[in-house]
Amino acid sequence: MVHQHGDEHDIPQEHLVHRHGAWLPADHRVQHEWLRTQIEHVDSNPKKELIPVLQEFKRLIEGNSRIYMYFNQMWEEIPLKKPYYKDPTGMKKQIRDYRHMLDVLNHIFTQAPQWTDAAFGVGMVGVPMVGIFDYVMATPSGHAAFLDPEVNKMMKKILNEWGKFLKSPKSAEVLESHKQGWFSEHGMKDLMQVANAPLKTSHRFEDMYVCDPSAKHYGYTSWDHFFTRQLRETARPTASPDNDDVIANACESKVYNVARRAKLRDRFWIKSQPYSVLDMLGHDPLAAQFSDATVYQAFLSALSYHRWHAPVAGRVLRAFVRDGTYFSEPLFEGPAGGFAEGERSAERPGEIDTRGISVAQGYLTALATRAVIFIEADNPAIGLMAFVGVGMDEVSTCEITVSHGQHVKKGEQLGMFHFGGSSHCLLFRSGVPVDGFPAPGRVENVPVRGQVAVINRR
């Protein structure tokens, strides 16, 4: 299964990075090449005045001693060796310090995510800010910085500002058929390979998604309009709409984990990343009912559909967004613990796990900005259950489109992700005989609104 164009070619082992959801290319050289072109543009052109929100970020860094220390040290803590210090050619330094970081951010905020055509392959950097923060997030100072409440408050402002651009007509310029465009030959091929795989269909883009193929940019007026594109009803039918024992998949997504007897409170920051239900559910009073819960988690592909749908028919009891972190990674991925590809290594001390935030899915459920929706299912065998939409990386908006007290049908829209990476969880209370989840390791996505589990009445 190819989640990005070029992932099928022979990538040298030292450049191969398995990333959940393909928000960054599997060939790390493509990400480096993308960053190299951004840096080269910044360094070879007259310095531009920072946009107002980045001026505010600069004042925060320089006016707060703690944050100033973090943003100086995080760049110094990156190991001074390939692949961290230089690009794949070994000739160009990557980002050097926080001032350089701000200049590069200032540049990327003028463009939407696009494809990179490099000599060794083609790929898409769907989360540009992670492309910039990729290594520093895993350093000790980066870990502290991206957990800092003041930094996260600032990050929310920055991401909301970028979000305004991604809703503008100018952002639609990447929705073209040129090599960097989403409707290029390789872009369209990858989009439809991911979309057709779950049900083994052969739909064209216009068969799968609501659009106008005769219009400019297929009728999408902005990058965000494209990112939150709607599916045609016939493309993803709701599983057994009249059988409340069948649970529908809330998001078009790939299985990450199924956990039983998840504790209300647990050590989510350790390497095994156990679910901490109270933290996942934002300390809501209803969370106390989910001790020893069953948790199903799956992650969304960069190329997939990003709206959420009700897994069961029922009444919405609570629906809210809990602000949290945006770029926090657990320390076990960083150089302080001496981990190589997520494992402690005596031979390779001081390594950063290059898979980055994508392997921190369990950790993120407790800390990242997330939408929480409690539904009292019509089926008494299910009763109260919960959906959690987890924002990862650049997600500045988890938009809920249902309200307290509303009755939803199975398969009805609940909300959507905007602008970036994402994961989601379904939680069922102890004693609910829910079973039949797809197993982790499944190659293709589980189709949204398709069957994801059943109530076992034996």
Side-chain angles (χ1 to χ4, degrees), residues 29 31-45 78-96 100 135:
R29 294 172 298 176
Q31 178 187 337
H32 278 277
E33 175 65 15
W34 171 84
L35 186 53
R36 184 194 66 78
T37 60
Q38 310 308 309
I39 291 171
E40 188 174 83
H41 178 91
V42 169
D43 292 350
S44 60
N45 286 279
I78 298 172
L80 297 181
K81 58 183 178 179
K82 291 171 66 177
Y84 315 113
Y85 188 50
K86 297 184 179 180
D87 72 7
T89 67
M91 299 299 293
K92 290 272 189 180
K93 287 184 179 181
Q94 296 280 17
I95 294 175
R96 299 181 286 276
H100 198 210
Y135 294 143

Side-chain angles (χ1 to χ4, degrees), residues 303-357:
L303 306 177
S304 292
Y305 173 76
H306 295 99
R307 294 177 183 244
W308 330 319
H309 293 261
V312 298
R315 186 166 60 91
V316 176
L317 295 189
R318 294 273 287 136
F320 60 89
V321 173
R322 176 70 70 231
D323 283 342
T325 64
Y326 294 92
F327 299 98
S328 178
E329 284 188 7
L331 272 177
F332 66 71
E333 294 180 13
F339 288 89
E341 293 305 314
E343 300 293 341
R344 183 173 294 280
S345 172
E347 293 75 28
R348 294 174 60 192
E351 295 291 330
I352 290 174
D353 189 331
T354 53
R355 295 171 299 174
I357 204 167

Side-chain angles (χ1 to χ4, degrees), residues 225-288:
H225 190 198
F226 165 74
F227 186 82
T228 59
R229 59 192 178 274
Q230 292 179 280
L231 279 165
R232 295 198 184 277
E233 287 293 319
T234 54
R236 291 292 186 266
T238 300
S240 305
D242 299 321
N243 184 353
D244 285 346
D245 282 351
V246 174
I247 296 158
N249 191 29
C251 299
E252 185 97 353
S253 50
K254 188 172 180 180
V255 188
Y256 176 73
N257 192 23
V258 179
R260 304 282 185 176
R261 301 186 63 81
K263 297 178 182 178
L264 270 182
R265 210 76 195 271
D266 214 333
R267 297 163 62 85
F268 58 84
W269 57 89
I270 65 175
K271 187 176 181 301
S272 59
Q273 301 177 69
Y275 293 113
S276 183
V277 170
L278 189 61
D279 297 289
M280 294 172 72
L281 298 177
H283 293 253
D284 188 90
L286 291 176

Side-chain angles (χ1 to χ4, degrees), residues 15-30:
H15 299 298
L16 178 62
V17 183
H18 297 288
R19 300 182 187 272
H20 297 307
W23 293 95
L24 294 171
D27 191 332
H28 215 188
R29 294 172 298 176
V30 177

